[in-house]
Amino acid sequence: MVPRILQELESESIEILRETAATFRNPVMMYSIGKDSSVLLHLAKKAFYPSPIPFPLLHIDTTWKFKEMISFRDRVVAECGAKLLVHTNQAGVDAGVNPFTTGVSEYTRVMKTVALREALDKYEFDAAIGGSRRDEEKSRAKERIFSVREPGYKWDPRNQRPELWQTYNTKLSAGQTMRVFPISDWTEADIWNYILQERIDVNPLYFAKDRPVVHRGNQLIMVDDDRFPLQNGEQPEIARIRFRTLGCYPLTAAVESTATTIEEVVEEVLQVKLSERATRLIDGAGEDSMEKKKSEGYF
Amino acid sequence: MEKAIVRLLTCGSVDDGKSTLIGRLLVETDSVPHDTIDSTRTMRRSGSTIPAGEIDFSLLTDGLEAEREQGITIDVAYRSMTLLDGKRLIISDAPGHEQYTRNMAVAASRADIALILVDATKGVRTQTLRHLTICSLMGVSRIVIAINKLDAVDYSQKIYDQILAEVQKAAQRLGVTDTQPIPMSALAGDNVVHRTEMMPWYSGPTLLEAIQGWKRTEVINDAARLRIQIVSRATDFRGLAGTVVNGDFEVGDAVEIFPSGQKAKISQILSGNTEVKRAINSLAATLVLEPEVDATRGDIVLKAGQSVDATDRFTANIVWLSEDELIHSRSYLLIAGSSQSPAVVTKIRHKFEINSGVEEAANSLKMNEIGSVEIATDSALALLPYKDSRLFGNFILVDRLTMRTVGAGMFDHSLRRGSNIHHQDYEITQTERALAKAQSAQVIWLTGLSGSGKSTIANALEKKLFIQGKHAYVLDGDNLRLGLNKDLGFTPGDRAENVRRVAEVSKILSDAGLIVIVALVSPFEADRREAKALFTETKFHEVFVNTPVDICQARDPKGLYAKASRGEIPNFTGVGQDYEVPTDPELVLDGTAELEVNVNKVLSLISE
């Protein structure tokens, strides 16, 4: 049954990607280096084959990504031949905004949300394709596939366009932009099953390896470079860990694991009964943090 | 092939226990992460009576902040779960509140199964009937009637039977045949996933069994279609990319392109980057044709041999989604897949009283209202009746200024019928009939304002022809409105139909070898052009009788301008409605000139 579910999901996603390429003046695909982005990129290759992917990729670099993320990004993008745009909120960097002392909400707003808005303004993109899934979080469950952003990239969840059948309204009025979510209906298990089936290249951080970590509360945080401020008497120890989701390294917790192949990761994912976002520090802050962030322009 | 993803729509109102039911279904099939479940043990709505530490199932499905404050679900939310047989179930949770009918239509548009909740302590209410009506209209093929809260009525079979009889009566009236009733308690967990012992009188399926037992089968026939989304180009490659609908395509299949009618064979099929021999129903594919054809986005690839009912005038059911009501004659943008066209609603036939499904007369459609309308589009579309194909029978209407989706449409039937009726050739031809009358059959179409002199010219012309021994006949617009067209008014839609009928009658009379003289206001260029298009072999002369409107008003031979200015004839041409001056008439007559002069001008046209 799994291959058939995947085929139906794949077809639906490809249809959405083609619709986006055909109807927008200047679309862009968000590339965040994670597994969902890897799947999205793979789907985009398939949707337009044998033509190249007809839109550029955009990575919002907070400068706090894992080192292995950046090297993976550059390798994968070079292989697929798509154009990669990288944008960082330089004002934020100059002001010393960081995930340790700035406060998570403010850090996210400046280095992710504001950075994204800057990039969309700079390149005048009218549609941004993202890899969000409805199973990730409650407010995402109510997202449209083609989701309008009002001027200033604001999301008004109470004023969304009705979306019926698979008949998509991709029209924009002045000042509006679109967010497009081709893998809305996929679950985390689907993503991994698809990666396994299609043998998609995913980041090495998803596989278990001995890495330096510190314990913070219930969470395991990897010490990726010497910018990580250790607490008094804290000493990184080596543990066999992997990541369920990838983000900024001080804000993304690892899980102890021995899964070193895609097969083993899939097996583990299907057994673990915790939500993915349990390992994301940034979402724990308040129950509705996602809806609030999204209203401000976050993906 | 049976689909692996099944979509379930749940409808019920705030207190029917719907969120609790879905929450329980998800938890008991182990479809919710455990940390998410744990959070519902501590979080509480104000007024909640569920003890701390127990799961409040309803908290699992209410997403937005405002919704939690008000304790209601205000927008469609989607949840995925895996059924025991490995199939995927996607639950669309539709709000039951009255003003949110449009959200239910959204959720129903893709649903295979609908779950309608009835609160056993309250019985069948108006909204239950509304849910049934919308599901039936949106083509949801199976409906599960969950009669909930049986625990609150002592698991009474009598109450269950009473409610059931009432629901089934309504379902029957609406023509909903496939219903499955289940008595249950979402709160106590009876008959949701686990069979209860509290209702030994019930032997039917649990909710989970009812969902799993349903087989979704697609109608597979030779009607495979693919709407082109993009043309994929690379060196030595040109593929038509889109999603396969209504059947399968195979390499070697003969296909036809709509609307150009070009024919070709499929030489290659790509599924992603893989070459396949067959593109199955619902696959996103790329077709390569041999020979290459000129096709673009919005065109349709059809398996050859299908009769295509291309139409630009049709009836449809519409769910109105916008706070601005449906405006008759306003131009909207119609989107059907990758095809689109400006469209006008020419007539509202009736609206459905949503709580009962009964038809009512209507002049407009407001938000959340559903009606049957007539639509005219600028370009012809190849839609299929919604009841036969949801994917090729739906469309949306978009406001051209705000770009909001304002209407959801379901194609019913074309107003230019005849694609299924084959033309029967007569043994005696038009030419032979005309020769027997020593003439050639032709049509003189006099168009102009009311009072411009059309009828006068037509009658004088007919008299002259009669004297010459010719066989002619006048079709006068006003006379026809007394009989053949007496059901038509003066709205743009009715006027279009009026012109169409007169053109068809002209065709019959000209086929009989007659010289037909039409005297008809026919104010719209598009309608006249369509009338003319009927005559491919017969000579058709468009004659514009040009008389200034003030002179027409002064003449007013039938007193119509006077009536119209008193408001008694809405949409009267020259008063409430514009007359579109012909762009390319064969002859323009000065309506203020001598009658004799004008008649002779037309006569010379005929004898040319």
Side-chain angles (χ1 to χ4, degrees):
Chain A
M1 199 59 76
V2 169
R4 282 175 43 202
I5 291 175
L6 293 178
Q7 185 173 66
E8 287 178 30
L9 291 170
E10 180 191 71
S11 282
E12 181 173 332
S13 302
I14 287 177
E15 180 176 71
I16 294 160
L17 287 167
R18 287 172 172 170
E19 206 60 15
T20 309
T23 56
F24 290 95
R25 178 181 46 79
N26 188 20
V28 66
M29 180 183 268
M30 304 305 296
Y31 182 71
S32 70
I33 313 171
K35 60 183 188 309
D36 301 305
S37 281
S38 297
V39 166
L40 212 48
L41 186 60
H42 184 79
L43 289 167
K45 285 186 215 166
K46 282 195 162 192
F48 305 104
Y49 180 87
S51 314
I53 298 174
F55 35 69
L57 308 179
L58 173 63
H59 179 225
I60 299 300
D61 191 352
T62 59
T63 71
W64 292 94
K65 299 293 174 190
F66 292 97
K67 284 179 299 221
E68 283 181 274
M69 287 173 72
I70 302 301
S71 54
F72 175 82
R73 175 194 76 190
D74 294 341
R75 176 168 63 77
V76 166
V77 172
E79 276 168 20
C80 84
K83 186 178 172 193
L84 173 74
L85 306 168
V86 178
H87 184 81
T88 300
N89 179 355
Q90 197 51 48
V93 173
D94 294 344
V97 173
N98 71 78
F100 305 109
T101 58
T102 310
V104 173
S105 298
E106 183 62 5
Y107 164 76
T108 304
R109 194 184 66 79
V110 174
M111 297 311 291
K112 291 187 160 180
T113 310
V114 174
L116 172 63
R117 295 203 302 237
E118 280 180 357
L120 297 177
D121 280 342
K122 180 177 170 188
Y123 298 104
E124 297 181 345
F125 293 122
D126 55 349
I129 304 161
S132 307
R133 308 187 320 268
R134 283 169 175 160
D135 81 324
E136 281 178 83
E137 203 273 338
K138 282 182 199 171
S139 68
R140 292 213 197 276
K142 310 215 164 184
E143 252 310 349
R144 302 295 186 261
I145 288 170
F146 283 87
S147 184
V148 175
R149 293 295 178 272
E150 299 303 326
Y153 307 109
K154 289 189 174 63
W155 184 51
D156 183 358
R158 269 165 249 208
N159 197 21
Q160 300 196 74
R161 285 182 187 170
E163 195 164 69
L164 295 99
W165 302 286
Q166 281 134 288
T167 303
Y168 301 115
N169 177 359
T170 57
K171 305 283 172 190
L172 297 171
S173 69
Q176 289 180 333
T177 53
M178 194 70 87
R179 298 282 166 94
V180 186
F181 303 102
I183 57 170
S184 287
D185 284 339
W186 296 52
T187 64
E188 188 189 10
D190 294 330
I191 294 288
W192 280 111
N193 281 322
Y194 189 67
I195 288 168
L196 177 64
Q197 173 185 295
E198 303 283 307
R199 293 281 151 189
I200 299 171
D201 199 359
V202 289
N203 199 286
L205 290 162
Y206 286 113
F207 302 106
K209 198 178 141 186
D210 290 339
R211 296 182 166 99
V213 294
V214 292
H215 290 265
R216 291 278 167 90
N218 295 330
Q219 311 273 28
L220 275 174
I221 309 293
M222 177 172 154
V223 182
D224 198 49
D225 60 34
D226 53 15
R227 291 182 295 175
F228 192 88
L230 293 170
Q231 287 165 1
N232 259 348
E234 203 173 38
Q235 193 62 38
E237 54 185 270
I238 299 297
R240 184 148 281 235
I241 55 155
R242 66 173 207 89
F243 290 84
R244 270 184 90 184
T245 72
L246 298 182
C248 296
Y249 80 78
L251 299 177
T252 312
V255 290
E256 281 188 281
S257 166
T258 54
T260 56
T261 63
I262 299 179
E263 285 83 353
E264 285 165 2
V265 170
V266 170
E267 172 127 17
E268 195 180 281
V269 167
L270 295 178
Q271 274 167 14
V272 172
K273 292 293 178 185
L274 286 182
S275 64
E276 276 173 273
R277 292 195 166 258
T279 60
R280 279 202 196 172
L281 275 54
I282 117 177
D283 296 325
E287 242 309 291
D288 293 299
S289 59
M290 181 60 77
E291 186 177 340
K292 281 188 192 130
K293 281 186 291 178
K294 283 169 68 72
S295 310
E296 292 169 358
Y298 186 78
F299 240 96
Chain B
M1 189 168 69
E2 203 186 331
K3 291 279 210 156
I5 299 177
V6 179
R7 289 172 182 270
L8 173 78
L9 154 75
T10 56
C11 8
S13 79
V14 184
D15 8 291
D16 292 337
K18 182 180 54 161
S19 294
T20 304
L21 179 61
I22 301 168
R24 183 176 284 280
L25 192 61
L26 293 171
V27 170
E28 293 191 352
T29 53
D30 203 11
S31 304
V32 185
H34 292 184
D35 55 327
T36 310
I37 297 178
D38 285 342
S39 72
T40 68
R41 290 182 192 276
T42 48
M43 207 191 316
R44 283 295 172 265
R45 304 171 195 277
S46 58
S48 171
T49 54
I50 298 164
E54 305 250 316
I55 301 170
D56 180 349
F57 291 100
S58 69
L59 291 172
L60 290 166
T61 50
D62 289 0
L64 300 174
E65 218 168 335
E67 299 174 352
R68 206 162 316 126
E69 279 162 17
Q70 298 165 30
I72 54 163
T73 310
I74 57 169
D75 203 344
V76 182
Y78 302 88
R79 293 280 177 284
S80 285
M81 62 175 269
T82 303
L83 297 173
L84 299 179
D85 56 5
K87 270 192 246 154
R88 168 69 44 80
L89 183 72
I90 297 180
I91 303 172
S92 333
D93 186 14
H97 223 271
E98 185 148 12
Q99 60 266 46
Y100 296 127
T101 294
R102 66 172 209 168
N103 287 339
M104 193 182 143
V106 168
S109 71
R110 291 192 72 184
D112 305 298
I113 311 177
L115 173 66
I116 297 182
L117 265 97
V118 182
D119 182 340
T121 65
K122 296 190 176 119
V124 174
R125 287 184 297 169
T126 316
Q127 54 135 334
T128 313
L129 304 174
R130 181 162 61 234
H131 295 327
L132 273 171
T133 307
I134 298 173
C135 287
S136 143
L137 186 84
M138 301 298 291
V140 186
S141 49
R142 165 157 239 215
I143 296 177
V144 175
I145 314 276
I147 302 181
N148 192 26
K149 301 195 185 177
L150 260 292
D151 57 325
V153 293
D154 296 327
Y155 296 103
S156 159
Q157 182 180 8
K158 196 175 151 216
I159 292 177
Y160 171 76
D161 285 344
Q162 272 170 1
I163 294 173
L164 183 57
E166 213 178 320
V167 177
Q168 282 179 333
K169 205 170 94 187
Q172 226 159 38
R173 188 161 42 80
L174 291 167
V176 181
T177 47
D178 189 4
T179 55
Q180 170 66 57
I182 305 173
M184 65 175 70
S185 165
L187 194 65
D190 301 312
N191 289 343
V192 180
V193 170
H194 305 292
R195 184 167 296 280
T196 184
E197 285 167 13
M198 305 305 290
M199 292 176 271
W201 44 266
Y202 175 76
S203 58
T206 62
L207 175 59
L208 185 62
E209 286 165 353
I211 294 168
Q212 289 189 160
W214 180 81
K215 296 264 179 284
R216 170 174 163 170
T217 43
E218 295 287 311
V219 183
I220 302 294
N221 44 34
D222 286 333
R225 293 175 163 213
L226 177 146
R227 243 187 209 128
I228 300 171
Q229 287 187 280
I230 50 167
V231 178
S232 178
R233 288 186 188 85
T235 316
D236 295 328
F237 183 90
R238 192 166 181 281
L240 309 176
T243 303
V244 181
V245 171
N246 281 4
D248 301 349
F249 281 113
E250 255 181 276
V251 171
D253 277 351
V255 294
E256 196 177 315
I257 305 293
F258 173 84
S260 71
Q262 297 168 87
K263 290 179 171 59
K265 273 196 157 64
I266 298 177
S267 60
Q268 191 189 4
I269 300 176
L270 291 178
S271 164
N273 47 7
T274 317
E275 223 181 302
V276 293
K277 285 196 72 177
R278 173 187 282 261
I280 59 161
N281 191 39
S282 83
L283 185 81
T286 304
L287 307 180
V288 181
L289 302 187
E290 177 61 48
E292 254 181 29
V293 296
D294 184 23
T296 59
R297 176 175 162 81
D299 289 357
I300 300 168
V301 183
L302 301 140
K303 205 174 252 195
Q306 292 181 51
S307 67
V308 184
D309 193 9
T311 182
D312 54 3
R313 296 285 160 97
F314 54 89
T315 64
N317 288 330
I318 297 257
V319 182
W320 199 248
L321 307 166
S322 166
E323 281 163 15
D324 302 323
E325 65 186 61
L326 165 61
I327 298 179
H328 174 279
S329 306
R330 171 186 285 186
S331 178
Y332 296 97
L333 189 63
L334 182 150
I335 300 177
S338 53
S339 318
Q340 63 178 60
S341 168
V344 174
V345 173
T346 54
K347 181 178 183 179
I348 298 170
R349 287 148 51 106
H350 53 254
K351 67 177 179 188
F352 298 101
E353 209 290 293
I354 192 126
N355 297 325
S356 61
V358 173
E359 293 170 7
E360 281 181 352
N363 294 317
S364 72
L365 285 183
K366 297 188 181 63
M367 180 143 109
N368 292 320
E369 289 189 332
I370 301 174
S372 168
V373 303
E374 289 179 12
I375 291 181
T377 54
D378 280 11
S379 47
L381 301 164
L383 297 170
L384 293 173
Y386 187 76
K387 63 177 167 46
D388 299 336
S389 172
R390 280 166 111 188
L391 288 175
F392 248 89
N394 80 71
F395 59 89
I396 57 172
L397 294 178
V398 173
D399 183 289
R400 302 179 75 168
L401 190 65
T402 64
M403 295 303 182
R404 290 186 67 87
T405 305
V406 291
M410 289 151 279
F411 180 82
D412 186 10
H413 65 79
S414 169
L415 284 173
R416 295 177 204 283
R417 272 163 265 195
S419 67
N420 302 323
I421 302 162
H422 293 283
H423 187 258
Q424 181 69 46
D425 286 331
Y426 297 121
E427 295 201 359
I428 301 169
T429 65
Q430 181 199 51
T431 316
E432 287 164 342
R433 290 175 204 273
L435 271 178
K437 298 178 183 73
Q439 63 188 29
S440 72
Q442 22 200 324
V443 175
I444 298 104
W445 190 283
L446 300 165
T447 171
L449 291 167
S450 180
S452 60
K454 298 182 300 296
S455 300
T456 313
I457 294 168
N459 288 328
L461 181 63
E462 187 187 23
K463 221 188 254 175
K464 274 217 160 166
L465 288 167
F466 186 78
I467 292 166
Q468 289 176 10
K470 305 283 185 195
H471 300 256
Y473 193 78
V474 173
L475 290 173
D476 189 282
D478 288 323
N479 290 357
L480 291 169
R481 277 185 179 276
L482 295 172
L484 178 65
N485 294 340
K486 73 175 172 190
D487 58 325
L488 300 175
F490 292 89
T491 62
D494 279 3
R495 283 183 180 277
E497 176 61 12
N498 190 35
V499 172
R500 189 190 69 81
R501 288 186 197 172
V502 175
E504 289 288 351
V505 173
S506 309
K507 185 151 175 17
I508 293 170
L509 295 183
S510 68
D511 279 349
L514 296 179
I515 296 166
V516 185
I517 306 157
V518 176
L520 193 67
V521 179
S522 43
F524 302 126
E525 180 74 13
D527 297 336
R528 291 189 301 259
R529 203 177 303 151
E530 272 154 27
K532 186 175 181 175
L534 270 183
F535 300 91
T536 45
E537 284 146 35
T538 313
K539 273 189 190 159
F540 181 97
H541 312 281
E542 185 182 355
V543 179
F544 172 36
V545 184
N546 188 10
T547 310
V549 67
D550 50 319
I551 293 176
C552 294
Q553 273 171 1
R555 286 180 184 167
D556 202 9
K558 294 159 190 162
L560 296 174
Y561 283 98
K563 270 190 179 177
S565 59
R566 289 196 302 268
E568 289 167 30
I569 313 174
N571 300 316
F572 188 73
T573 307
V575 179
Q577 202 166 65
D578 286 342
Y579 174 84
E580 294 173 7
V581 173
T583 51
D584 189 25
E586 196 174 342
L587 178 66
V588 181
L589 298 178
D590 175 1
T592 59
E594 285 284 320
L595 179 63
E596 186 71 16
V597 174
N598 279 337
V599 170
N600 286 335
K601 277 186 180 171
V602 181
L603 268 180
S604 61
L605 202 67
I606 299 175
S607 48
E608 263 170 22

